[in-house]
């Protein structure tokens, strides 16, 4: 009998392979020597709340001072260390800015944790949808005017939550959106999980914290050299009850926070403010050279800065390399598989017709060149497939993973997420569920943005698209039946 391999053994074996990560965490398992300097064996600093080391839930000493330094660096009135990732920050922001049974306006492409916050506070939801974006299969930005129209017509909205940048690096006009929400005395929450690096490079977009947002959540581990689960929640005074948010942080964060993770966050921020800035400038020069080279591809297409100004796109995060396969014989899953199997490059995710590579300050010049060479070689082997340029095929290709896709109809909710969970359910065949009210989530993970939310009507186009995703091999999740044969719906 073959000996079972432990998780640790599997991780050690993988770390010794030549698989290169174009995915989070941002340290890329290749910490620069100057960054790792003086960072000890993790077992040596893994402690609990002993004398002299403060308490994250009631900080009065070293942790309080550390978070105050971070707040000063980022320009926040308060900054909180999150050791449960951005998810607990999103939960705390939602519950801390709305009342039970209240209403929130949120972008439909929010992460699933935002929907969990809606569930926990029994909220009604109104949605703002990203703009449709042609040619690449990814979503565009959010239009400020549409947000204002929603605030005018839905007087009970208590907070606005949007995602910027998106998983694909799309940035919306945060400054204008913040001005609009404040006109209605409503706080703006920005899920900036993928934008923790913005303040450290002149060619990156401005952080939402500098543009008027009231609560900003950032994942250090996604795009900076920090350990998985490390994140920050920043708050500006004026439109939020800071004490209420703090209360929810104590609820959603572990009562035994990891000092290893907190020390790692502090170390990451300090390094980025010093040596990291020069490293970021060097990284940006290498990144721009790679983007210029990939911009010459004849068949695969790189999402470039020329999209700024269309489809609600206010700015673009250059560190997200979005490679579209549209119009070629490849789909996103096949391109990701080729990169993994032939070139030993692991991408962050794929959609129906694109792949996403996350580049960070920790990427080596060799790693970036491997990706560049691989994509150029693959591109050279491809030919344009004219049959995929028809309107019907383009419409099919538009169904990319990550929330409300251009071809999918807008959600039709008939009850809240909480009501759907509490109502009697029945099980039906998924393929025959059109017209039923879903009692389950459906999403592709990553990125974990719901396609269907409990309490929404299952529409035939959604069912067809989800089935197509499964056939393509995309990771469709959320249903209890992993095989996607059955779905739980509301028994009326």
């Amino acid at each position: 009998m073959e000996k079972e391999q432990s998780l640790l053994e599997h991780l050690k074996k993988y770390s010794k392979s030549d698989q290169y990560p174009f995915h989070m965490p941002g340290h890329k398992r290749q910490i620069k020597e100057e960054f790792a300097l003086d960072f000890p064996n993790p077992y040596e600093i893994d402690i609990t709340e002993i004398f002299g080391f403060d308490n994250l839930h009631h900080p009065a000493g070293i942790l309080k001072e550390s978070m105050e330094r971070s707040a000063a660096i980022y320009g926040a009135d308060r900054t909180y260390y999150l050791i449960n990732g951005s998810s607990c920050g999103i939960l705390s922001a939602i519950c801390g800015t709305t009342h039970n049974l209240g209403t929130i306006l949120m972008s439909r492409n929010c992460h699933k944790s935002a929907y969990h916050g809606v569930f926990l506070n029994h909220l009604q939801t109104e949605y703002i949808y990203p703009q449709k974006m042609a040619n690449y299969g990814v979503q565009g930005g959010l239009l400020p005017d549409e947000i204002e129209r929603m605030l005018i017509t839905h007087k009970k909205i208590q907070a606005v939550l949007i995602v910027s940048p998106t998983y694909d690096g799309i940035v919306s006009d945060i400054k204008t959106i913040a001005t609009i929400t404040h006109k209605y005395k409503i706080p703006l929450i920005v899920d900036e999980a993928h934008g923790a690096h913005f303040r450290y490079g002149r060619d990156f977009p401005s952080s939402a914290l500098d543009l008027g947002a009231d609560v900003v959540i950032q994942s250090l581990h996604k795009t900076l050299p920090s350990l998985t689960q490390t994140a920050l929640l920043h708050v500006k005074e004026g439109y939020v009850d800071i004490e209420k948010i703090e209360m929810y942080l104590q609820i959603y964060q572990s009562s035994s926070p990891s000092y290893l993770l907190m020390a790692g966050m502090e170390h990451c921020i300090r390094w980025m403010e010093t040596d990291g800035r020069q490293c970021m400038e060097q990284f940006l020069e290498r990144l721009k050279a790679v983007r210029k080279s990939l911009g010459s591809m004849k068949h695969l297409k790189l999402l470039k800065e020329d999209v700024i100004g269309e489809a609600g796109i206010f700015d673009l995060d250059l560190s997200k390399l979005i490679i579209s396969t549209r119009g070629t014989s490849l789909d996103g899953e096949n391109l990701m598989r080729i990169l993994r199997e032939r070139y030993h490059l692991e991408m962050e995710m794929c959609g129906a017709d694109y792949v996403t590579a996350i580049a960070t300050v920790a990427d080596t010049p060799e790693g970036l060149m491997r990706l560049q060479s691989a994509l150029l070689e693959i591109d050279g082997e491809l030919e344009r497939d004219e049959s995929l340029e028809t309107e019907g095929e383009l419409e099919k290709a538009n169904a990319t993973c990550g929330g409300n896709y251009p071809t999918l109809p807008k959600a039709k909710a008939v009850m809240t997420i909480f009501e759907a969970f509490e109502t009697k359910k029945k099980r039906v065949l998924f393929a025959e569920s059109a017209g039923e009210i879903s009692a389950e989530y459906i999403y592709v993970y990553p990125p974990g943005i719901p396609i269907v939310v409990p309490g929404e009507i299952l529409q035939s186009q959604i069912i067809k698209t989800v089935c197509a995703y499964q056939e393509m091999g995309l990771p469709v999740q959320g249903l209890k039946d992993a095989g996607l044969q059955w779905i739980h719906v509301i028994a009326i």
Side-chain angles (χ1 to χ4, degrees), residues 33 36 55 77 82 141 222 250 256-257 272 282 371 392 408 471:
E33 183 178 350
N55 186 312
D77 291 317
L82 305 177
K222 283 182 169 64
Q250 293 179 26
S256 299
M272 288 303 304
Q282 295 168 353
L371 179 63
L408 293 183
E471 291 176 5

Side-chain angles (χ1 to χ4, degrees), residues 17-28:
S17 73
D18 67 342
Q19 290 283 349
Y20 189 92
F22 278 101
H23 55 78
M24 62 184 83
H27 56 68
K28 301 298 186 83

Side-chain angles (χ1 to χ4, degrees), residues 39-89:
F39 207 82
N41 181 323
Y43 283 95
E44 295 177 358
I45 58 172
D46 189 18
I47 63 170
T48 188
E49 294 92 341
I50 58 177
F51 179 77
F53 286 91
D54 213 352
N55 186 312
L56 182 62
H57 289 297
H58 300 281
I62 192 169
L63 290 178
K64 179 175 183 290
E65 294 168 1
S66 181
M67 289 188 287
E68 286 176 347
R69 285 194 298 269
S70 296
I73 287 170
Y74 280 89
D77 291 317
R78 299 279 183 89
T79 291
Y80 302 90
Y81 290 160
L82 305 177
I83 47 79
N84 288 42
S86 283
S87 293
C88 76

